[in-house]
Amino acid sequence: MKSIKVILLVLACIITIPASAQFRWGPRIGTEVTAMRFDKSVFNSENRAGFTGGLMCEFTVPVINLGFDLSVMYVHRVSQSNVTTDGGNADDNALVSSSRFKNRDYIEIPLNLKYKIGLPIVGKLVCPYIFTGPSFSVLTSKRAITDAYKNKAFDVAWNFGAGVQLFNHLQVGASYGIGLNKTVEFTGVASNTKPIEGKNNYWTITAAWLF
């Protein structure tokens, strides 16, 4: 009997919350600046600008202005690393073409807890917000980098960001993603290379229009 009451309570919550909450969705586009941070100094990484685009939905509970947003994004990440065939740096010989490091494509799903800071009088026109949450990315481009290194198929990061909502529809935000897993792995195929693995840290600036 108690279990039935619990089930009925959960169903009631599911039914009543959307009635008072605000659910919106719309397109989201932006740019991403990726800095690959490696755990060995033989990689010299530089920031490069990529792009991202997709769809976003937002769920907000009125009064407390707390909710979450979920996006499904295509991400083109660009980075350059001066790695050599023998695991040395750019000062050594036999520099590998870095073009294969520059282009990596992902399907990214960020899920953020979002708090909107309500402002009196102008809240409908300008509304700042902060957010944080995990991001899950699946590699869609090729994994191979060299005979000794390859990109991992799955990337996890944690985002921290802030933004502003304008005219109750346009949201412009910036976030910093901290890579939680190693995205480049050493395959051990070549005998003269060093086991180097790296993580993605990146800035993302996006604009979304929510209906």
Side-chain angles (χ1 to χ4, degrees):
M1 191 65 181
K2 290 183 179 180
S3 60
I4 295 177
K5 290 182 179 180
V6 172
I7 293 174
L8 292 175
L9 180 61
V10 172
L11 290 176
C13 292
I14 294 175
I15 294 173
T16 57
I17 289 178
S20 61
Q22 298 175 352
F23 178 82
R24 304 190 300 169
W25 67 278
R28 183 186 183 196
I29 60 173
T31 184
E32 185 173 288
V33 180
T34 304
M36 294 192 70
R37 302 301 181 188
F38 292 89
D39 56 10
K40 299 291 182 179
S41 62
V42 296
F43 277 92
N44 294 322
S45 175
E46 300 177 8
N47 289 342
R48 293 292 186 271
F51 61 87
T52 181
L55 290 174
M56 169 183 166
C57 65
E58 179 188 80
F59 181 91
T60 306
V61 179
V63 182
I64 62 173
N65 291 333
L66 185 65
F68 66 87
D69 64 54
L70 175 69
S71 302
V72 178
M73 309 290 290
Y74 166 76
V75 180
H76 181 72
R77 289 178 180 161
V78 183
S79 62
Q80 178 177 344
S81 298
N82 296 327
V83 60
T84 64
T85 53
D86 59 358
N89 57 32
D91 295 330
D92 298 328
N93 54 13
L95 180 66
V96 172
S97 172
S98 61
S99 61
R100 284 178 290 182
F101 282 91
K102 292 181 180 178
N103 303 317
R104 289 169 297 143
D105 300 319
Y106 292 87
I107 297 298
E108 182 181 19
I109 303 177
L111 174 61
N112 295 308
L113 180 67
K114 178 184 287 184
Y115 175 67
K116 294 183 178 180
I117 305 171
L119 298 177
I121 303 176
V122 297
K124 290 291 184 178
L125 298 177
V126 179
C127 180
Y129 61 86
I130 56 175
F131 60 91
T132 185
S135 177
F136 309 96
S137 301
V138 178
L139 183 71
T140 59
S141 56
K142 61 183 180 180
R143 298 185 63 188
I145 299 175
T146 68
D147 292 337
Y149 302 101
K150 67 178 181 180
N151 294 309
K152 287 191 175 182
F154 190 66
D155 185 15
V156 181
W158 193 275
N159 297 322
F160 299 89
V164 61
Q165 178 175 281
L166 303 173
F167 309 110
N168 206 34
H169 289 285
L170 178 62
Q171 292 188 3
V172 180
S175 65
Y176 186 71
I178 301 175
L180 300 180
N181 70 316
K182 295 177 179 179
T183 58
V184 176
E185 63 179 323
F186 174 66
T187 63
V189 175
S191 59
N192 294 328
T193 53
K194 301 176 182 180
I196 305 163
E197 299 178 336
K199 297 180 180 180
N200 278 330
N201 293 339
Y202 51 89
W203 283 98
T204 303
I205 302 173
T206 61
W209 184 270
L210 302 182
F211 300 99

